[in-house]
Amino acid sequence: MDFGTKLIHNGNEIDKTTGALSIPIYHASTFHQFDIDNFGKYDYSRSGNPTREALENTIAALEEGDSGFAFSSGMAAISSVLSIFSAGDHILVCRDVYGGTYRVTSSFFKKFNVETTFIDATNIGEIKERIKNNTKAIFLESPSNPLLKITDFRAVIEVARKNNIVVIVDNTFMSPYLQNPIKLGADVVVHSATKFIGGHSDVISGLVVVKGKELSDKVKFVQNSFGAVLGPQDCWLLLRGLKTLKVRLDYQQKSALKLAKWLREQEEVAKVYYPGLLEHPGSELHLSQAKGGGAVLSFETKDDETAKRFMRKVKLAAVAVSLGGVETIVSYPAKMSHAAVPKEERESLGIKDSLIRVSLGLEETEDIIKDFKNALSI
Ligand SMILES: *Cc1c(COP(=O)(O)O)cnc(C)c1O
């Protein structure tokens, strides 16, 4: 079955009790037990809620994992997954990981003696070198943010397998439509569903998909005991958003490619980063493990002043953090996502003050190009 069909027909789209074509929002915290000797399927919504269950089963089917879990944010999803590890464990995390993941691993989990080493995940040699006896997990993101660097999932997974290391992939930038790390051998996929899955910039949420019963039980235990679950209303927004994931991304991705090609012709633009462009250094590798370049790109202007002017003058696109919505969003890493990183360190990561990130929405591409043309010009 094609992915687009699966978004609409995956076995979780019809309410089993009424036949409703939209899963009802079960706003219930607790459930009456008709038989004190045999409890029903649901007892308390932290442990299980029918709307959340429909969403969790849907994302598990779309990522081809064994179980799905919905959390109150992408960070709650990531932190809950990392909570399956114990004091004394060591995890490898790709260096240009999402800022929130950097913060939670480098400071929060450190308090509990879970040790983190940041590695260049595009360098297999470095990964092998950094594995220690207590290394339990490797956390990857590809394409990375904001420079869209590509990690070779198959190669990393092979190394991890040999060393009994759990592979966790943050698949937010690609969504289950464009990339399925579990099919390539990863154990856990996490999403900030706030982005492409929700797709409408209206809900903060996170999803996790796990392969295998042992790991699934561990994540289920954390979800139920730590309790950072997603409420039924927000679960419904994700179920609704998911139905149009393919049509949205097909358009957004086409638009991203058009914009990338236009940008590289502009005299005010020094460099374009987009894995859908064949000259992107990771393009071939990326297209061997994903179905397209996605809808996020970044570019450097010829100088810092041009970038600042662009951010001041751009009108149609929203100037904001976040991505994956129906509206085009531009962000300025130096002042937004990476503002807390000192300038020298930012530059060593390749994030210049002339770098701008774009997430394409559903506007007519020509209108976005006109807006950008005006914003780049003096
Ligand atoms: C936004 C984002 C997150 C965090 O998700 P929230 O829903 O904001 O908590 C994690 N990873 C990536 C790649 C993101 O873009």
Side-chain angles (χ1 to χ4, degrees):
M1 197 190 287
D2 179 80
F3 185 86
T5 310
K6 209 167 160 186
L7 283 172
I8 314 297
H9 303 280
N10 50 61
N12 304 293
E13 66 276 16
I14 292 173
D15 179 45
K16 304 280 190 294
T17 50
T18 63
L21 288 191
S22 159
I23 299 294
I25 303 169
Y26 284 94
H27 261 305
S29 59
T30 191
F31 299 81
H32 176 68
Q33 302 306 320
F34 291 91
D35 178 348
I36 200 66
D37 291 320
N38 291 298
F39 272 25
K41 185 171 177 189
Y42 308 102
D43 60 2
Y44 188 64
S45 274
R46 173 160 34 75
S47 314
N49 171 283
T51 315
R52 197 176 88 221
E53 189 182 33
L55 171 65
E56 292 178 331
N57 290 343
T58 301
I59 192 67
L62 297 177
E63 286 285 12
E64 306 201 17
D66 293 318
S67 54
F69 303 93
F71 293 94
S72 53
S73 69
M75 282 322 302
I78 290 166
S79 304
S80 296
V81 167
L82 295 177
S83 296
I84 69 175
F85 301 105
S86 307
D89 288 349
H90 172 237
I91 54 177
L92 297 173
V93 177
C94 63
R95 192 169 294 131
D96 39 10
V97 73
Y98 177 73
T101 309
Y102 176 82
R103 181 166 53 211
V104 87
T105 48
S106 62
S107 59
F108 184 86
F109 281 99
K110 202 174 161 197
K111 289 198 304 183
F112 300 99
N113 206 18
V114 175
E115 185 199 350
T116 303
T117 304
F118 294 95
I119 40 115
D120 175 3
T122 64
N123 182 345
I124 292 290
E126 186 176 335
I127 293 180
K128 285 183 184 159
E129 244 166 62
R130 296 306 180 114
I131 292 174
K132 306 198 288 188
N133 287 337
N134 59 338
T135 305
K136 294 290 165 66
I138 177 159
F139 191 102
L140 304 172
E141 226 178 281
S142 178
S144 73
N145 180 25
L147 294 173
L148 293 310
K149 285 191 211 147
I150 307 301
T151 293
D152 186 341
F153 285 132
R154 293 180 183 92
V156 179
I157 288 164
E158 198 187 315
V159 173
R161 280 275 159 282
K162 285 193 190 132
N163 291 278
N164 244 333
I165 293 171
V166 172
V167 177
I168 305 163
V169 177
D170 183 335
N171 202 25
T172 301
F173 270 43
M174 286 284 101
S175 91
Y177 172 37
L178 296 178
Q179 185 167 274
N180 301 114
I182 286 177
K183 279 210 255 182
L184 300 172
D187 303 287
V188 181
V189 164
V190 297
H191 283 283
S192 168
T194 308
K195 317 293 167 54
F196 289 102
I197 290 178
H200 295 72
S201 306
D202 53 11
V203 57
I204 296 283
S205 52
L207 293 172
V208 172
V209 179
V210 183
K211 183 80 187 166
K213 179 157 188 338
E214 198 189 325
L215 273 178
S216 294
D217 288 348
K218 286 184 180 175
V219 175
K220 176 75 203 170
F221 175 78
V222 176
Q223 188 193 38
N224 192 38
S225 46
F226 195 73
V229 295
L230 190 63
Q233 180 96 34
D234 290 346
C235 288
W236 185 87
L237 282 169
L238 295 191
L239 282 167
R240 179 172 165 139
L242 264 172
K243 293 181 191 187
T244 55
L245 178 68
K246 182 175 187 248
V247 287
R248 281 187 281 115
L249 259 170
D250 278 342
Y251 184 86
Q252 286 164 318
Q253 177 165 260
K254 234 189 265 168
S255 214
L257 183 61
K258 260 193 229 167
L259 182 69
K261 286 182 174 166
W262 179 82
L263 280 169
R264 73 180 173 188
E265 304 304 323
Q266 304 313 301
E267 164 192 324
E268 297 89 349
V269 174
K271 194 157 184 190
V272 179
Y273 300 89
Y274 180 59
L277 285 177
L278 294 178
E279 69 257 30
H280 183 86
S283 165
E284 197 181 332
L285 172 62
H286 177 69
L287 295 174
S288 78
Q289 56 190 23
K291 279 188 231 119
V296 178
L297 60 84
S298 58
F299 65 96
E300 282 161 12
T301 52
K302 63 178 182 196
D303 51 39
D304 298 357
E305 198 38 56
T306 307
K308 281 194 195 136
R309 188 174 62 237
F310 176 91
M311 295 307 291
R312 276 196 303 270
K313 283 184 75 184
V314 74
K315 275 203 187 80
L316 205 50
V319 174
V321 293
S322 200
L323 54 110
V326 293
E327 53 291 288
T328 296
I329 297 176
V330 296
S331 69
Y332 187 41
K335 291 260 166 150
M336 294 170 134
S337 54
H338 293 71
V341 182
K343 186 175 161 86
E344 271 169 39
E345 206 172 313
R346 276 204 307 267
E347 296 206 331
S348 82
L349 287 169
I351 301 165
K352 299 186 178 165
D353 285 10
S354 60
L355 187 77
I356 293 165
R357 190 188 73 193
V358 188
S359 168
L360 274 296
L362 296 180
E363 303 91 344
E364 179 56 49
T365 320
E366 287 308 318
D367 288 332
I368 294 298
I369 289 177
K370 257 185 239 161
D371 189 30
F372 277 35
K373 188 175 177 140
N374 178 58
L376 282 171
S377 65
I378 297 171

